[in-house]
Amino acid sequence: MFAANVCADGGLADTQWVCAVTNVTQRRPLRVLLVDDDADMLVMLQAMLTSRAVDVVGLATNGEDAEQVAIVIGPDVAVVDYMMPGLTGFETATKIKSVRPECVVVIFSALADLADEALAQPDVDHFIAKTNLLQLDELLNEMRAERA
């Protein structure tokens, strides 16, 4: 194990700063971007996922914002609604994959009959119906376990 004394400002410890010892070999948590035009859904998902020790690193209400967040933050997973103003979930998936090809894109939609079409999209990795929050939680748990 390698540990370094790192200050909150990113500098190395010296006698003027009180700093925490950080384990730099510890794996970071699964970083998730949530994309939905429904603010209540974003809040609910964030609360649910945060309580499961997932690091929600970004929220976006449309595809264009999701692309920008993906560029800056680099999420491991993007949970994307299908029906949004502007770009659809499929178009958003393509934008995210163009800037972060390693990001896993999950289409999370109220349109359960969209599953086959979603999974046929080259930039969509998973489809989960919004009525099945447990399936989303299970998928993210599996992804976290694979990273450990």
Side-chain angles (χ1 to χ4, degrees):
M1 177 176 79
F2 179 79
N5 290 330
V6 180
C7 296
D9 68 354
L12 294 177
D14 64 21
T15 57
Q16 297 176 345
W17 295 94
V18 176
C19 301
V21 174
T22 304
N23 178 355
V24 294
T25 59
Q26 183 178 10
R27 289 193 178 265
R28 64 176 170 76
L30 193 64
R31 298 164 48 91
V32 179
L33 165 61
L34 301 175
V35 186
D36 200 307
D37 61 321
D38 181 347
D40 292 336
M41 180 59 73
L42 285 175
V43 169
M44 188 269 304
L45 283 172
Q46 184 177 21
M48 182 193 90
L49 296 177
T50 300
S51 68
R52 302 288 196 267
V54 170
D55 192 4
V56 176
V57 295
L59 303 173
T61 57
N62 61 61
E64 293 86 358
D65 289 348
E67 178 185 17
Q68 293 306 307
V69 172
I71 289 169
V72 173
I73 297 178
D76 301 311
V77 181
V79 178
V80 181
D81 183 24
Y82 174 73
M83 289 191 333
M84 296 182 291
L87 301 176
T88 68
F90 299 159
E91 294 165 330
T92 300
T94 299
K95 293 280 191 182
I96 291 170
K97 288 283 193 172
S98 73
V99 297
R100 296 289 179 187
E102 71 284 356
C103 181
V104 174
V105 176
V106 179
I107 295 294
F108 188 62
S109 177
L111 303 173
D113 58 344
L114 192 66
D116 290 338
E117 185 180 353
L119 294 173
Q121 300 296 314
D123 296 316
V124 173
D125 299 296
H126 300 277
F127 175 88
I128 297 177
K130 282 188 177 179
T131 56
N132 199 344
L133 287 172
L134 182 59
Q135 186 181 3
L136 177 61
D137 190 42
E138 289 171 354
L139 175 64
L140 295 176
N141 281 334
E142 288 172 15
M143 293 174 78
R144 269 198 322 266
E146 289 172 5
R147 294 172 51 84

